[in-house]
Amino acid sequence: MDIKNSVVLITGASSGIGEATARAVVQAGARAVLLARRQDRLDDLARELEDDVLALPCDVTNPVEVQKAVQIAQEKYGRIDVLINNAGQGLYAAIEDIGIEDFRELLNINTVAPLIMMQAVIPLMRKQGAGCIINVSSGATLATYPGSAAYTSSKSALNMISKVARLELADADISVSLLHPFMTATEFYGAVKSGLNTSKEQEAGAASIAQPPSLAAQMMVNLIRTGEEETDLVPKEYGGSFEG
């Protein structure tokens, strides 16, 4: 897809990879629709970008709020060409320590919310005759780590949703892609659902290898342009394919 003049909807756009992606797509000539719960952060980003940007506070786990945001975006731009499902959260705990309610909430944001977003934009993309959906998974799903069961299972479910959707939507000329980021220098580690101490220890230990969010953002732009099925930013020595 030609990203220039396209309408790109980004969830979790108020920080980290989502914020970097907003900058990247606008720089590439796209019009951006920014969704997140923190309106003040969204407004600051919209003012910084100064281009044709629509900032909408939205809880992406709430179908009513999602439908309203998509409707506003459609009314403003007449179309939605790209959906980037970036919003997500972490959770670190051993199997016997995973809080059941915490796990349900994690699944809601990491797995159910992306599905809600997809179901909201797919009818529009079908009418347009084309579209692009990128689901942000995790490089952690490419391996097995103690304490990661809750988080990686929520993202692994998203992986399968994406792969099946790619098959189902191919005839409609809607590409569905997966991006697996590596450890990234964002607020992610400080905003986990549980296991904050473990998360912060991991963040400290990974400081020397953590990638800037701008790298993931550039990969996102590449996926929009190529429609590639799947790519990762995990270095080969950690089980991925990234050589940068």
Side-chain angles (χ1 to χ4, degrees), residues 16-213:
I17 291 174
E19 181 180 356
T21 300
R23 292 192 178 98
V25 299
V26 168
Q27 185 176 12
R31 294 165 289 178
V33 180
L34 313 179
L35 269 56
R37 288 176 292 185
R38 296 180 289 186
Q39 184 169 4
D40 56 336
R41 296 282 294 268
L42 284 179
D43 291 342
D44 289 345
L45 179 58
R47 280 192 293 270
E48 174 198 327
L49 295 175
E50 295 183 347
D51 284 274
D52 198 357
V53 174
L54 179 62
L56 300 173
C58 180
D59 177 356
V60 292
T61 68
N62 186 323
V64 174
E65 291 192 23
V66 167
Q67 287 291 346
K68 181 180 178 181
V70 168
Q71 181 179 354
I72 292 171
Q74 184 185 18
E75 289 172 353
K76 180 175 176 63
Y77 296 117
R79 58 190 299 113
I80 295 175
D81 299 294
V82 181
L83 165 65
I84 297 177
N85 271 318
N86 166 72
Q89 192 171 40
L91 190 157
Y92 293 91
I95 291 293
E96 66 265 34
D97 297 326
I98 296 171
I100 298 305
E101 288 307 313
D102 286 345
F103 187 41
R104 286 194 176 106
E105 291 183 23
L106 188 77
L107 289 169
N108 206 23
I109 183 66
N110 287 356
T111 312
V112 178
L115 179 59
I116 292 172
M117 292 299 311
M118 291 171 70
Q119 290 179 340
V121 302
I122 286 171
L124 304 179
M125 292 180 176
R126 283 189 181 278
K127 288 180 182 178
Q128 294 162 190
C132 169
I133 297 170
I134 300 174
N135 290 323
V136 180
S137 182
S138 171
T141 63
L142 305 182
T144 306
Y145 306 99
S148 71
Y151 176 65
T152 55
S153 61
S154 71
K155 288 295 191 177
S156 293
L158 179 61
N159 294 351
M160 189 55 70
I161 288 172
S162 299
K163 292 177 181 180
V164 174
R166 185 176 178 88
L167 291 176
E168 293 180 352
L169 298 173
D171 289 345
D173 200 21
I174 301 172
S175 65
V176 182
S177 304
L178 272 168
L179 174 63
H180 301 280
F182 187 55
M183 294 176 179
T184 310
T186 68
E187 298 174 7
F188 175 85
Y189 295 97
V192 292
K193 188 65 186 172
S194 69
L196 180 60
N197 289 339
T198 301
S199 177
K200 297 302 285 185
E201 289 173 4
Q202 181 176 347
E203 180 183 28
S208 63
I209 58 173
Q211 298 168 342

Side-chain angles (χ1 to χ4, degrees), residues 203-226:
E203 180 183 28
S208 63
I209 58 173
Q211 298 168 342
S214 58
L215 180 59
Q218 190 54 56
M219 280 293 193
M220 217 84 75
V221 171
N222 291 344
L223 283 174
I224 293 171
R225 288 173 170 152
T226 67

